[in-house]
Amino acid sequence: MGKTNQGRFFEDYSVGDVLTHAVPRTVGAGERALYHALYPARHALYSSDTFAQNCGLKASPLDDMIAFHTVFGKTVPDVSLNAVANLGYAEGRWLAPVWPGDTLTSASEVIGVKQNSNGKTGVVWVRTTGRNQHGVPVLDYVRWVMVRKRDIDAPAPETVVPDLAKVVAPETLVVPSGLTFDGYDTALSGQPHRLSEYKVGEQIDHVDGVTVEEAEHMMATRLWQNTAKVHFDTSARPDGTRLIYGGHVISMARALSFNGLANAQMMVGLNAGAHANPCLAGDTIRAWSEVLDTAETSAPGVGAIRLRLVATKGGAPFALRGEDGKYLPDVLLDLDYWALMPT
């Protein structure tokens, strides 16, 4: 047992710890093909080199969520191997495109800890940065997880709860160098609707649904090298089920949002996110979106749209919380993000 990794427990974290995550990952066209096999992803900028080149890029970058999943997966052995649940996200920004052939690494800093009142678990906040082989940051975000204690008698640490921004300021969003939507082709993108046609408060039912299968979830979680026990080991959860990785739900909902938001091409900011209820194999994921804000950027023809993306397992569209203020039981995901869209 001395040479195996049992994972960190709550009492193993201290504010200021820097965790360098193991196993760099070189990503390429194979990851893109598998991503598009796992999710109905159709955004044109990530599907076609020529479309991306017409938008000023050298080629089609890898999907933003490929970068997210890869960077996130590196963190699991050090952050969430013994997690009960991944609770939320904040202050996320995609800082540079990830190209086929790039090698990604991850590191996290512990920025907060708080023991829960039951004394058996605690919440840990980390800020994770993913970098490419040149040391250039490609992604930065905060997440917080509920982690089991190894010893329930271990003393509670001093509570530190980080003060996190509720929204990534639009002026801090990073537009990839050279990106322009001046010559944007809506016929090829799949829908004619540009940023000027979306109004704050507008809600969009994405109509389609996808039933999550056990096999594809397991393949996806292995693809991202996510080793959290609750996704693989049926003895890790009291009900004997394997929890669907929350990122799998994000990617599925984002892909479903193509129908109504085909021109929301690039995810550039992650304002907030909550995995409201567990997703299990056999659930049918549906999605709806609400326009929360719009903003200008300095790039030609490029605007930013702030969206709430909600994934459900069959609930009525546009229903989010009950009278008690809690998420409805059919709600799986409540994600608040910025995307780039032609003006």
Side-chain angles (χ1 to χ4, degrees), residues 161-238:
V161 177
D163 183 18
L164 300 171
K166 295 187 182 299
V167 180
V168 176
E171 62 269 18
T172 68
L173 299 174
V174 177
V175 179
S177 177
L179 185 72
T180 173
F181 287 158
D182 269 355
Y184 191 89
D185 190 331
T186 57
L188 292 179
S189 71
Q191 287 187 334
H193 313 300
R194 294 172 175 265
L195 184 63
S196 59
E197 299 176 55
Y198 291 90
K199 306 302 178 187
V200 173
E202 179 179 355
Q203 294 179 314
I204 304 160
D205 180 3
H206 300 302
V207 182
D208 307 308
V210 174
T211 302
V212 178
E213 302 292 348
E214 194 82 76
E216 68 184 21
H217 149 65
M218 296 297 290
M219 183 170 72
T221 312
R222 288 192 291 265
L223 174 64
W224 313 126
Q225 296 179 329
N226 181 333
T227 56
K229 297 173 184 177
V230 292
H231 303 320
F232 290 98
D233 183 351
T234 57
S235 69
R237 282 171 50 84

Side-chain angles (χ1 to χ4, degrees), residues 119-141:
K120 299 177 181 178
T121 58
V123 179
V124 179
W125 286 261
V126 297
R127 183 181 299 279
T128 296
T129 302
R131 290 180 168 83
N132 64 20
Q133 66 273 26
H134 307 295
V136 175
V138 299
L139 175 67
D140 184 272
Y141 65 92

Side-chain angles (χ1 to χ4, degrees), residues 94-114:
W94 281 261
L95 300 169
V98 173
W99 307 101
D102 278 354
T103 297
L104 302 182
T105 57
S106 300
S108 300
E109 180 183 359
V110 179
I111 61 172
V113 291
K114 181 180 184 294

Side-chain angles (χ1 to χ4, degrees), residues 22 46 85 97 107-108 110 115 145 184 191 205 212 241 254 284 314 330:
Y46 298 108
S108 300
V110 179
Q115 182 165 302
V145 296
Y184 191 89
Q191 287 187 334
D205 180 3
V212 178
T241 61
R254 161 73 172 157
T284 297
D330 282 338

Side-chain angles (χ1 to χ4, degrees), residues 288-299:
W288 57 269
S289 293
E290 179 181 0
V291 180
L292 300 179
D293 201 0
T294 60
E296 298 178 346
T297 79
S298 59

